[in-house]
Amino acid sequence: MVGIRKAAVIGAGVMGAGIAAHIANAGVPVHLLDIVPNDANERDAIAKGAVDKLLKADPAPLMHKRNARLITPGNTEDHLERLADCDWIIEAVVENTAIKRDLYGRIAAVRHAGAVVSSNTSTIPLKELTKGMDDSLRRHFLITHFFNPPRYMRLFEIVAGPDTLNGVTHAIRDFADKSLGKTVIDCKDTPGFIANRIGTYWLQCAVVEAIDGGVDIETADAAIGRPFGIPGTGVFGLLDLVGLDLMPHVLSSLAGALPASDPFHSVHREPELIERMIDDGYTGRKGKGGFYRLDPSGGKKTKQVLDLQTRDYHDARRPKPAGVKAASRGGPRALMEHQDAAGRYAWAVMAKTLAYAARLIPEIADDPASIDEAMRLGYNWKYGPFELIDKLGPPWLAAKLRSKGSDVPAFLDRIGDGTFYRVDNGTLQQFTDAQGFIPVPRPAGVLLLQDIKRRAEPVASNRSASLWDIGDGVACLEFHSKMNSLNPFSLSTVNKSIDIVRRDFKALVIYNEASQFSVGANIGLLLIPIFLHAWFLVKPLITIGQNAYRRLKFAPFPVVSAPSGMAFGGGCEILLHSDAIQAHAETYTGLVEAGVGIVPGWGGCKEMLLRWTANPDRKKGPMPAVISVFETIAMAAVAKSAAEAQDHLFLRPGDGITMNRDRLLADAKNRALELAVDYQPPLPREIQLPGPTARVAMDLAVAGLHKQGKATSHDVTVAHALAEVLSGGRTDMTETVSEDEILALERKAFMKPIRTPQTIARVKHMLKTGKPLRN
């Protein structure tokens, strides 16, 4: 079949609207239909209201507000014929089999012969949905299970039926992968598929064990959280996030679909406490609160926690159990062996959950990698169940299960003294029930640095950065400090990489597979100068960074940056000095230094001026470009997607955007190879800047904001230093200013606000909390 050129989503609830938004993010027009409300004057009210909510939601379902134009709202009574030119029709209505089947009959009457129809059900088996379905629709039908929120959750579970055409499955898998950025997991037609089958058991087990064992919520979340690579919300915080009122529906659906022999039934019950909380409106963050709540009665919002025994709230105590401390030194096994409440609870919950996952092979999946990927991407676990078992030691887990009188799953027993994953000749392999060890598969066209690192040594490396050979004459510079903050070791590797690539390679890609590309310069480096008032130590750091970035820009080979996650401050400046950017769609970038009380010092001001003065869409004259850059930097503007980054010119029109994180390195490498053909480095530029008149204008604008209470006194100080750079200092607007002259202004401007008590306080606050301080 042809690709997906137009789509439709039926059901404009939170999930359906989110799916429609993400299809629009891929640049594909999409119809969003829902029922006509009773006695409604506006027959499209539900779908139109959903689009309005998409534009206001935070975090934003849309990567750019303009994407909303691709969504056409309508209703299922008047507009079902719109489906006739849709290539993919997604049903996202209430989890009621009869309602879904009736809708499929209506869709069958209007869809074109090759259109794919899928259900976003999370619990109903495909064989139930297709009962009575006509043959043509059955061959084009499957389950496509998105996770909420669809933009941000990468897991995409797909269930094909015995009659589903291979071309149908391939078309949806390809679109979900390359256009929607999803990791596609093929699932069997079993209740809950993979992630929700295990995830629901885990959550229910955690709640029941805490209530029955008298474990307080904070201890439970401390135990079933970071020690296992599970988000810091823990179990109870996660339930508050997704909504307590959703759990009864999921639990009852699984209970009705699973055989009596399934261990799920041993933990399935809805505690009376949760029933009462739901009835009273305590459904989590979307209600009055949940297991946690914010109490505003004292004049400020105080975090409070529900006592599971007394059922009263009390202020959060943030306990640090001894077992959790042991895990920080000895890993999750040390916690599960500990005899305090946290240790006993961790064993009770995680041993059951891991054993349950092992028991489900081959029922829900044939291999550990599919289950691990589903739990990493669907529940944000850092490690999947089998990766956790390997960390604990499969023999240890099996032996302890036996010692506790618990059944040992056959698949766990079969691995014996081995592990479920191993590296053989540089290839990651997984143990399977049917074939023994086989390679962990990668989709065609995917290139991962983690795979390269298994079979090669770095070309150069230190504690903060490494250079890798990724083939075809392309090198990859990887940062690997904490949050990839930049320090002298990082900059040293940048310089060393330039020398090596000049000699031995065609091109350089800057990329890593951490959560953040780079949060910028390590502001901890400012602590010594701050405490000693040794300001002479700061200027060399600025000069070293400027020189390294300048060498990147004018290197005799192309440099392509491939960011994902945060690229702030110095991380953003790396992007600005690259020949091209191939950005993951979920790239969040900006020159945020003003939030710390300083100005960009590694060439960010210069590069933004160069981009805005060269922008063909800007108003003529030197002032408009300068004002645009001033507003962007002074307000510490952050683009919350790669698409938004284009608005600020952090990305240029020729830069690329990759939807799938796993395809980013391959796309960046291909871009680098394209640029390497007959590559010529850029020449230094000179631009006209307006001089003192512009500086005065910017100073007056900020003074006005200060007078209105919208800017602090320190904001005025920082803005003045920034205005000095962007205006060109004392230059005359009839003259031109070189790149090196702007860099000199940056160095001078960086030193002005850093000496103030306000900047010192902001740096200390940022280091302590990780958050900017407004004062």
Side-chain angles (χ1 to χ4, degrees):
M1 63 171 290
V2 296
I4 308 301
R5 298 161 300 185
K6 184 178 288 187
V9 178
I10 304 177
V14 172
M15 197 68 195
I19 294 170
H22 199 49
I23 292 173
N25 288 335
V28 174
V30 55
H31 293 284
L32 179 62
L33 308 183
D34 210 303
I35 61 172
V36 177
N38 293 330
D39 303 320
N41 294 324
E42 171 56 73
R43 294 175 66 80
D44 302 337
I46 294 177
K48 287 183 176 179
V51 175
D52 290 341
K53 290 177 182 177
L54 291 175
L55 289 165
K56 299 172 184 176
D58 187 21
L62 295 163
M63 291 179 173
H64 197 289
K65 289 186 182 297
R66 64 171 173 261
N67 294 346
R69 301 173 196 162
L70 291 170
I71 305 173
T72 303
N75 68 75
T76 53
E77 291 185 23
D78 304 327
H79 304 128
L80 214 60
E81 74 281 353
R82 293 179 183 174
L83 306 184
D85 62 349
C86 294
D87 302 306
W88 184 16
I89 302 163
I90 302 169
E91 168 270 301
V93 303
V94 63
E95 290 286 82
N96 181 297
T97 306
I99 292 175
K100 290 176 185 288
R101 287 178 186 163
D102 176 72
L103 179 60
Y104 300 151
R106 298 172 63 197
I107 292 172
V110 296
R111 61 176 279 270
H112 70 72
V116 178
V117 180
S118 70
S119 174
N120 185 56
T121 182
S122 59
T123 56
I124 303 173
L126 183 142
K127 59 180 174 285
E128 293 298 320
L129 297 176
T130 55
K131 283 181 179 178
M133 186 177 286
D134 73 63
D135 292 342
S136 174
L137 182 53
R138 187 184 295 109
R139 288 193 294 270
H140 293 82
F141 186 85
L142 59 164
I143 289 172
T144 53
H145 183 214
F146 291 80
F147 278 68
N148 194 31
R151 169 183 165 181
Y152 300 98
M153 300 300 287
R154 290 177 56 197
L155 180 59
F156 183 87
E157 294 180 321
I158 189 168
V159 181
D163 300 320
T164 307
L165 297 174
N166 289 335
V168 166
T169 308
H170 174 77
I172 297 303
R173 181 187 289 112
D174 189 68
F175 182 77
D177 172 351
K178 297 174 183 175
S179 297
L180 299 182
K182 301 299 181 184
T183 296
V184 182
I185 303 292
D186 290 293
C187 300
K188 298 185 179 184
D189 192 18
T190 57
F193 315 127
I194 294 178
N196 280 346
R197 177 75 173 273
I198 296 171
T200 303
Y201 177 90
W202 166 64
L203 291 170
Q204 180 67 5
C205 186
V207 171
V208 169
E209 290 291 344
I211 292 174
D212 291 353
V215 180
D216 69 272
I217 285 174
E218 288 185 280
T219 295
D221 280 348
I224 311 299
R226 291 191 176 92
F228 293 96
I230 291 168
T233 55
V235 170
F236 291 93
L238 177 59
L239 286 170
D240 277 356
L241 182 63
V242 301
L244 273 65
D245 53 330
L246 294 180
M247 284 302 290
H249 303 291
V250 177
L251 291 170
S252 62
S253 178
L254 280 177
L258 293 173
S261 59
D262 194 283
F264 173 81
H265 296 289
S266 67
V267 298
H268 173 235
R269 72 174 192 266
E270 186 176 345
E272 181 271 333
L273 167 64
I274 294 180
E275 289 182 356
R276 192 195 74 179
M277 290 175 69
I278 294 171
D279 290 341
D280 292 345
Y282 286 87
T283 54
R285 294 189 187 182
K286 64 184 178 183
K288 300 177 183 178
F291 295 110
Y292 296 91
R293 73 175 184 183
L294 293 176
D295 177 23
S297 60
K300 65 177 183 177
K301 293 182 178 180
T302 301
K303 186 176 183 179
Q304 294 190 326
V305 188
L306 182 69
D307 187 309
L308 295 174
Q309 307 306 315
T310 67
R311 305 186 179 187
D312 295 322
Y313 285 95
H314 60 78
D315 290 353
R317 296 164 183 158
R318 297 174 177 82
K320 297 179 180 178
V324 173
K325 291 179 180 178
S328 66
R329 300 184 297 271
R333 181 165 158 179
L335 171 59
M336 294 175 77
E337 288 179 325
H338 207 279
Q339 290 307 303
D340 71 348
R344 295 192 301 272
Y345 178 71
W347 168 261
V349 175
M350 294 308 295
K352 287 181 180 178
T353 300
L354 299 179
Y356 188 59
R359 186 184 186 277
L360 292 176
I361 285 185
E363 180 187 342
I364 65 171
D366 292 324
D367 60 278
S370 294
I371 290 177
D372 283 348
E373 191 88 272
M375 291 305 295
R376 285 197 304 268
L377 299 180
Y379 280 78
N380 282 329
W381 288 19
K382 185 176 182 179
Y383 312 104
F386 293 96
E387 292 170 315
L388 280 173
I389 293 173
D390 279 358
K391 282 184 169 295
L392 295 171
W396 174 84
L397 180 60
K400 188 154 186 177
L401 284 169
R402 285 193 182 93
S403 72
K404 298 284 188 180
S406 302
D407 292 335
V408 177
F411 189 60
L412 175 59
D413 216 18
R414 202 164 292 130
I415 198 66
D417 292 333
T419 54
F420 289 106
Y421 293 96
R422 72 181 187 187
V423 176
D424 184 57
N425 291 323
T427 299
L428 180 64
Q429 296 183 334
Q430 59 175 327
F431 181 74
T432 63
D433 199 44
Q435 299 172 271
F437 279 99
I438 62 171
V440 174
R442 304 293 189 207
V446 167
L447 177 65
L448 297 179
L449 190 58
Q450 60 179 278
D451 290 338
I452 292 169
K453 291 161 73 171
R454 289 190 183 96
R455 57 178 182 262
E457 294 295 322
V459 178
S461 185
N462 62 29
R463 68 177 70 176
S464 297
S466 298
L467 185 70
W468 300 89
D469 183 345
I470 59 174
D472 301 311
V474 181
C476 177
L477 174 58
E478 174 202 24
F479 299 125
H480 45 69
S481 58
K482 185 176 181 181
M483 298 188 76
N484 293 323
S485 60
L486 303 170
N487 55 51
F489 294 101
S490 313
L491 298 175
S492 172
T493 307
V494 169
N495 282 311
K496 191 170 185 178
S497 296
I498 293 169
D499 295 335
I500 293 172
V501 175
R502 179 200 301 267
R503 184 183 67 234
D504 299 330
F505 294 87
K506 299 177 186 176
L508 176 66
V509 170
I510 304 177
Y511 164 90
N512 62 72
E513 287 169 0
S515 298
Q516 317 302 347
F517 177 75
S518 172
V519 295
N522 182 352
I523 61 171
L525 298 173
L526 299 177
L527 275 182
I528 293 177
I530 282 175
F531 283 122
L532 299 181
H533 291 265
W535 309 116
F536 65 90
L537 295 175
V538 176
K539 193 171 182 179
L541 179 62
I542 302 305
T543 303
I544 291 169
Q546 286 187 349
N547 290 342
Y549 284 26
R550 191 179 189 282
R551 290 192 71 203
L552 270 181
K553 178 175 180 176
F554 297 113
F557 51 81
V559 177
V560 177
S561 285
S564 179
M566 296 179 187
F568 290 160
C572 180
E573 287 171 305
I574 286 178
L575 309 186
L576 298 176
H577 285 81
S578 302
D579 291 283
I581 299 169
Q582 186 68 38
H584 180 220
E586 296 297 349
T587 294
Y588 319 117
T589 189
L591 296 170
V592 298
E593 288 87 346
V596 188
I598 54 179
V599 299
W602 285 349
C605 299
K606 164 182 68 74
E607 290 301 314
M608 289 298 286
L609 283 171
L610 294 173
R611 290 182 179 219
W612 277 94
T613 55
N615 179 21
D617 296 328
R618 71 175 176 88
K619 294 179 181 179
K620 301 303 179 184
M623 279 296 289
V626 170
I627 295 301
S628 294
V629 177
F630 180 74
E631 291 173 347
T632 298
I633 298 177
M635 299 300 293
V638 172
K640 295 182 180 179
S641 69
E644 284 190 7
Q646 294 171 325
D647 294 346
H648 298 284
L649 295 190
F650 297 135
L651 266 66
R652 293 162 294 194
D655 291 327
I657 298 176
T658 298
M659 291 294 282
N660 193 319
R661 178 70 171 80
D662 290 344
R663 295 187 177 276
L664 182 58
L665 179 56
D667 287 351
K669 177 183 173 182
N670 290 335
R671 180 72 173 127
L673 287 170
E674 290 173 3
L675 292 173
V677 178
D678 300 324
Y679 176 76
Q680 294 293 323
L683 296 174
R685 287 177 52 198
E686 293 188 351
I687 59 175
Q688 283 186 314
L689 293 175
T693 302
R695 187 193 67 237
V696 171
M698 288 183 274
D699 285 346
L700 286 172
V702 176
L705 292 174
H706 180 243
K707 189 174 182 179
Q708 297 171 37
K710 296 179 180 179
T712 67
S713 297
H714 190 55
D715 290 333
V716 175
T717 301
V718 176
H720 178 76
L722 177 62
E724 182 77 13
V725 178
L726 301 182
S727 64
R730 297 181 180 179
T731 187
D732 186 281
M733 73 168 57
T734 62
E735 302 171 344
T736 58
V737 183
S738 70
E739 294 190 30
D740 285 344
E741 287 173 320
I742 301 174
L743 287 175
L745 289 169
E746 281 192 25
R747 290 193 296 272
K748 183 179 178 181
F750 187 91
M751 296 302 298
K752 287 184 177 179
I754 198 172
R755 300 169 186 260
T756 64
Q758 293 90 342
T759 289
I760 293 171
R762 289 187 185 192
V763 169
K764 290 179 179 178
H765 181 81
M766 178 73 84
L767 288 169
K768 183 178 180 180
T769 67
K771 298 177 181 179
L773 172 68
R774 301 301 297 173
N775 54 19

